[in-house]
Amino acid sequence: MGTEAAQGRERLEVALDSRLPELLAEVRDLLADGMPEYAAFLDHNPHGMREAAELFIHRLLDMAEHGRSVSRDDHLEGAQTIQLVFEQIGRRQWQAGEDLTRLLTAYQLGARTAWRHVSATALALEVRPDVLAALAEAVFDFINQLSSASARGYVLEQREDASARERSREELAELLLSDRSGMNAIREAAARANWPLPATGAVVLVDATTEVARRVLSHVDAGSLPVRHEQLSGAIVPDPGPSSRRDQLRRALRGTNAVVGHTVPLEHLPRSVAIAQIAVRLKQQGILTDDPVFVDEHLDTIIVHRDELLVGFLRDQLLAPLDDLPAGARARLIETLTAWLRHMGDRTAIAEELHIHPQTVRYRVAQLRERFGDQLDSPRSRARLFLALVWPVR
């Protein structure tokens, strides 16, 4: 840079520095009308804003002289500081729940005000037209850089906030499904997750390997908690008891092969999810076929199948009178006994179900009475046979 150019830059820099108080005051007054919180920020940070404005002037002259990507070494650190400051302003904008557009509008207002002062100063000093044009470009280019820095900070804070909230919600779900968690710990976790504790809840379990289930589950309820617990995937839905909420869940989950646990107070969720897991297994085996399955509509079947080994033992014990028969004859009598229990001894209904003649039914029932004796007339024995034979039939 020549001596004359250097002197011209120095005169412009001194003149702009001297106008900074007036510039900041004008910006503050303009903001006071529609954006009083930003005006208050200027009032509460006079020294910081004066320092930032000085850096702005120096950076502006660097950009006008060398272009946006080049800066004098002694101002490079200051330029980076400005970027970080305005990125932090964007973060605070998100934290305060404010819209980014309002902040960017304030920047544009500040840019127009700054240009009026810069251009008036430059014209008073009779700078060359090319320098004036470079200053104009630098002003708005710099404001765009600051806007981008704040937008970047806003988005980063939004993402980090969403990630932290999601982690807090997952931790809360784990606590709710753990039978070792006290309500004090749950209340603290709910406060961190910003999740109002409902009086009751239900667990929805899905097959997370299917894309449709993941997609539908994410829209079941904005107030739901994600569940990723011991190979489980789903959500904890707050207060799903009313029939309207049940209908909503039924529509939302149709086609996902989901299981909806019964509605319980929050402290009973660990036991509830264990029962829902049994329902998932029964659905996979084809015993429960609803889509979705509501556990409280099938508690009897779930109770019977809670321990298949025990049901198998009971079946083997009760059918022992048929053990000496050939496999085919044994299967036919078990089939007839099951239909007899289901239709309460109605031979016509049994014959229609099994597609056999009523006389064949009479003959087989006589065989059953020979082998089971008084058991077929005992209410308790019939109940045990019903439990062992009728419920397990798919």
Side-chain angles (χ1 to χ4, degrees):
M1 180 187 298
T3 303
E4 183 178 349
Q7 291 174 346
R9 172 189 168 118
E10 185 176 348
R11 287 197 303 272
L12 182 57
E13 191 168 337
V14 171
L16 289 174
D17 279 344
S18 68
R19 292 190 66 152
L20 283 180
E22 181 184 352
L23 189 157
L24 290 173
E26 184 176 340
V27 171
R28 186 257 174 226
D29 291 342
L30 288 171
L31 291 174
D33 289 336
M35 305 174 185
E37 67 275 22
Y38 298 144
F41 178 79
L42 293 178
D43 289 338
H44 295 150
N45 299 274
H47 298 299
M49 293 311 301
R50 174 61 187 251
E51 183 179 352
E54 289 174 352
L55 285 172
F56 165 74
I57 294 299
H58 301 323
R59 175 67 172 160
L60 177 67
L61 294 174
D62 284 346
M63 291 173 66
E65 184 177 352
H66 302 291
R68 65 178 299 181
S69 61
V70 180
S71 178
R72 294 184 309 181
D73 292 341
D74 56 338
H75 294 318
L76 180 58
E77 184 177 348
Q80 293 172 339
T81 300
I82 290 178
Q83 291 283 327
L84 292 174
V85 166
F86 279 82
E87 183 175 306
Q88 189 63 30
I89 290 174
R91 286 179 176 272
R92 290 177 180 172
Q93 190 77 358
W94 169 259
Q95 293 167 0
E98 298 288 346
D99 183 52
L100 179 62
T101 304
R102 297 186 75 245
L103 180 62
L104 300 185
T105 299
Y107 287 172
Q108 293 301 317
L109 185 151
R112 290 194 296 270
T113 304
W115 173 238
R116 283 200 302 272
H117 284 266
V118 170
S119 60
T121 303
L123 289 172
L125 293 176
E126 298 182 345
V127 302
R128 299 192 315 269
D130 60 317
V131 175
L132 186 64
L135 283 171
E137 182 180 0
V139 167
F140 293 100
D141 192 14
F142 189 51
I143 291 299
N144 285 338
Q145 289 185 37
L146 300 185
S147 297
S148 296
S150 288
R152 181 169 60 253
Y154 189 92
V155 171
L156 287 173
E157 187 67 22
Q158 185 181 43
R159 289 176 181 172
E160 291 170 11
D161 185 47
S163 297
R165 186 168 60 251
E166 189 67 14
R167 286 194 299 272
S168 297
R169 288 159 64 86
E170 290 179 6
E171 290 169 3
L172 174 58
E174 289 182 8
L175 286 175
L176 287 169
L177 297 182
S178 170
D179 56 7
R180 297 181 298 278
S181 302
M183 284 307 297
N184 286 338
I186 289 173
R187 290 190 190 95
E188 292 174 1
R192 288 194 299 272
N194 194 27
W195 195 68
L197 282 177
T200 62
V203 176
V204 177
L205 300 182
V206 299
D207 180 0
T209 62
T210 63
E211 177 60 30
V212 64
R214 289 195 297 269
R215 185 171 63 253
V216 170
L217 190 62
S218 67
H219 294 90
V220 164
D221 193 319
S224 299
L225 294 178
V227 170
R228 297 175 183 87
H229 173 78
E230 298 178 357
Q231 290 79 52
L232 300 180
S233 291
I236 295 174
V237 180
D239 291 328
S243 58
S244 58
R245 291 281 286 118
R246 176 174 294 236
D247 292 341
Q248 177 188 0
L249 283 173
R250 199 184 301 275
R251 289 192 300 271
L253 294 171
R254 187 169 291 121
T256 65
N257 287 318
V259 168
V260 182
H262 51 296
T263 301
V264 294
L266 296 185
E267 60 268 26
H268 295 160
L269 277 175
R271 295 183 65 184
S272 171
V273 76
I275 296 171
Q277 286 178 280
I278 297 172
V280 169
R281 172 170 56 81
L282 298 182
K283 186 164 181 59
Q284 291 170 344
Q285 294 172 353
I287 295 172
L288 297 178
T289 59
D290 290 356
D291 184 18
V293 168
F294 283 83
V295 164
D296 58 5
E297 296 175 359
H298 301 279
L299 286 177
D300 51 355
T301 302
I302 292 170
I303 289 170
V304 171
H305 289 274
R306 185 166 187 170
D307 191 328
E308 289 190 329
L309 186 62
L310 286 178
V311 175
F313 286 154
L314 178 64
R315 191 180 302 118
D316 292 343
Q317 179 189 58
L318 293 176
L319 296 178
L322 305 178
D323 284 350
D324 62 333
L325 290 173
R330 185 175 186 275
R332 286 191 294 273
L333 286 183
I334 291 175
E335 179 185 56
T336 303
L337 178 57
T338 302
W340 182 82
L341 291 165
R342 183 182 293 113
H343 296 293
M344 303 178 67
D346 185 331
R347 286 198 299 272
T348 302
I350 297 170
E352 289 178 356
E353 178 184 329
L354 301 182
H355 305 291
I356 58 178
H357 195 277
Q359 283 299 106
T360 304
V361 173
R362 183 191 296 273
Y363 171 71
R364 291 184 184 178
V365 170
Q367 288 183 294
L368 289 168
R369 287 195 173 277
E370 282 183 19
R371 291 182 172 271
F372 286 92
D374 294 341
Q375 289 186 62
L376 297 187
D377 297 317
S378 165
R380 176 170 174 76
S381 294
R382 287 202 305 270
R384 282 158 57 84
L385 284 165
F386 195 91
L387 185 66
L389 295 177
V390 176
W391 254 295
V393 174
R394 300 178 185 179

